[in-house]
Amino acid sequence: MSAQSDRQHVTLATLNKINAKGEKFACLTAYDALYARLLNDAGVEVILVGDSLGMVLQGHDNTLPVTMTDMIYHVECVKRGNSRSFIMADMPFMSYSSETETLENAAALMRAGAEMVKLEGGAWLASSTRLLAERGIPVCVHMGLTPQSINLFGGYLVQGRNPEQAEKMVEEALQLQEAGASILLLECVPASLARRITEALNIPVIGIGAGPDTTGQVLVLQDILGISPIKPKFVKNFLAESDNGIAGAIKRYADDVKQGHFPAPEHCFD
C-alpha cells in the first residue's frame, strides 16, 4: 500500500482548516481518470472538472458550447480515478438559469461524483447559492473574469481595476458568503483586490491570475505542462522545470503553491 493511499480524503472541512491556519492548498483541472490519479499522487487537494474542457479537449474558442452531458461524463471519469482529492465541477453555460434547472443540474453533477459545484457570476447568484446550500450542495462562486460572460466583457480582460468595480466586487463577495457560498474563486483581478477580498471573507478563496494571497491557486493542467496554444500572464510551464516528466511537473506545482513560491510577481496583475 502506498503512502498516498493512507492519506485521508480531502473534504470541505479539510479546506476550511487549511484556510483557518493561514496555509495554502493546490487545485488543478482534470477531465479523466488517468490525470485524476496523477493529481492524487502529487497531493493536489482539489480537482476542478472545468468547462475549460470545451477549449482544451473539444477545440472550441470558448466554454459556451459545453453541455451538461459533457460535464457529467467527465466528472464520472475523474471520479473513477480519484481516491483522495476534493472534486469540484463547473455548471456549464445557462445550466443554472432557473431554480428548477439549477437544482436538477447540480444534483446530476453531485450524483456523477462532484462534491461541490461552481457557478460564475456575482451577487445575482445569491438566491441560487442559498437554494443549493440549503439542500446540502456546496457552492463555489467564480467572480472576476467569468469566461461564460466573455461576449459581455468583450474579451479576456482583467476585472476590478477601477475603484468602483473593486468596491462592488468586495461587497458582492460578502453577500455571496452570507448566502452560503463555501468557496470563492477569483480570476484575473489585481493582486491587491484579491488580498482584500480574501482578508474580508471567512471562507477559502481560490485564485487564478489573482496574486499570491488567496488560500488556494488553480490552473488548467495543460497550461502547467506548456502544451496550451494560449499562454496567459498568470501561467507557468512547470514541465520545463521537471526532472520527472508530467508527474514531476504536477508535484512541483502543488509544492510551489503550498510553499508560497507560486504565483510569483510576474504572474500577477497590478
Side-chain angles (χ1 to χ4, degrees):
M1 181 178 291
S2 69
Q4 174 64 29
S5 62
D6 292 333
R7 297 179 185 175
Q8 293 184 343
H9 185 87
V10 175
T11 66
L12 183 56
T14 310
L15 302 177
N16 283 327
K17 288 178 182 177
I18 292 171
N19 184 53
K21 291 178 180 178
E23 297 175 352
K24 308 283 186 181
F25 64 80
C27 175
L28 267 177
T29 63
Y31 316 104
D32 60 36
L34 174 61
Y35 278 110
R37 292 190 186 100
L38 290 178
L39 268 59
N40 274 236
D41 291 342
V44 173
E45 283 82 3
V46 180
I47 296 176
L48 171 61
V49 185
D51 59 2
S52 50
L53 67 88
M55 302 170 75
V56 175
L57 301 184
Q58 298 175 335
H60 296 299
D61 293 332
N62 53 53
T63 64
L64 303 187
V66 177
T67 66
M68 274 299 301
T69 300
D70 295 331
M71 291 304 305
I72 290 168
Y73 171 78
H74 287 283
V75 171
E76 290 174 340
C77 290
V78 167
K79 173 65 174 177
R80 294 187 194 107
N82 186 62
S83 61
R84 175 183 177 269
S85 300
F86 185 78
I87 300 176
M88 178 163 60
D90 273 336
M91 293 188 66
F93 179 63
M94 293 300 289
S95 66
Y96 43 101
S97 58
S98 71
E99 181 173 307
T100 299
E101 286 180 317
T102 299
L103 290 173
E104 290 180 351
N105 290 327
L109 290 173
M110 297 295 282
R111 292 190 191 102
E115 295 163 278
M116 170 176 278
V117 297
K118 181 165 75 64
L119 291 69
E120 295 184 10
W124 63 272
L125 286 173
S127 59
S128 298
T129 299
R130 187 174 293 108
L131 183 74
L132 293 169
E134 287 174 350
R135 286 155 178 80
I137 299 178
V139 176
C140 172
V141 178
H142 182 155
M143 296 181 68
L145 174 59
T146 49
Q148 292 176 14
S149 302
I150 191 64
N151 290 316
L152 183 63
F153 291 148
Y156 293 95
L157 307 174
V158 178
Q159 303 296 304
R161 273 186 160 153
N162 71 67
E164 294 80 10
Q165 190 182 42
E167 193 64 36
K168 180 181 179 183
M169 201 174 297
V170 174
E171 293 174 0
E172 293 193 358
L174 288 166
Q175 291 174 33
L176 289 162
Q177 176 179 257
E178 179 65 24
S182 295
I183 292 179
L184 193 76
L185 190 150
L186 296 173
E187 179 171 357
C188 289
V189 301
S192 58
L193 175 58
R195 180 173 62 251
R196 183 181 171 194
I197 291 174
T198 301
E199 291 174 349
L201 300 183
N202 298 319
I203 59 176
V205 178
I206 298 174
I208 175 169
D213 299 307
T214 56
T215 312
Q217 297 289 334
V218 62
L219 284 178
V220 171
L221 175 62
Q222 284 76 4
D223 285 347
I224 75 161
L225 301 180
I227 58 176
S228 297
I230 300 174
K231 296 176 173 58
K233 174 185 175 70
F234 53 79
V235 166
K236 177 179 177 180
N237 182 348
F238 284 86
L239 185 59
E241 299 180 357
S242 171
D243 55 5
N244 190 30
I246 290 174
I250 296 170
K251 182 69 163 57
R252 178 69 176 269
Y253 165 77
D255 290 347
D256 279 6
V257 166
K258 295 174 196 181
Q259 293 166 12
H261 301 321
F262 179 84
E266 62 265 27
H267 307 118
C268 304
F269 299 102
D270 297 326

